[in-house]
Amino acid sequence: MALYLHAVPGVDSASIGLVAVVTVAAIGAATLLGLAFAAFVRRRSRPYLLLVAAFAALLGRSAVVVASLFGLLSPANHHVFEHGLDAVLVALVVAAVYYARTVRREASAS
């Protein structure tokens, strides 16, 4: 029995390994999203909000895989959405770090 850890056109993509990996990833992303949201509620700052959005994008990646497994997305669309979410996630994390460092410099200069 072949174990595929990525969706392959024409192959049963709902392998046990793929489902297990996506399940663990979704649980981890949901946990991180919940923790980030709790931190945002406590701190109420833009960097924390950007991190909430980044972790939501991470959870969105798991949703893209689930949609692909159920045949709602073609392999081409799967990759567009998945890698698009990668770009969004990176941009949000960079923006959060940049904004946090900019605010800290402005506060120390005053």
Side-chain angles (χ1 to χ4, degrees), residues 20-80:
V21 167
V22 171
T23 300
V24 169
I27 291 169
T31 302
L32 288 173
L33 179 58
L35 291 171
F37 186 74
F40 169 70
V41 167
R42 185 171 181 188
R43 299 287 181 149
R44 299 238 184 238
S45 69
R46 187 170 292 159
Y48 283 90
L49 179 60
L50 291 169
L51 288 176
V52 168
F55 288 127
L58 185 63
L59 184 59
R61 293 190 77 224
S62 295
V64 166
V65 174
V66 170
S68 296
L69 288 175
F70 285 107
L72 301 173
L73 288 175
S74 69
N77 286 337
H78 161 88
H79 281 97
V80 168

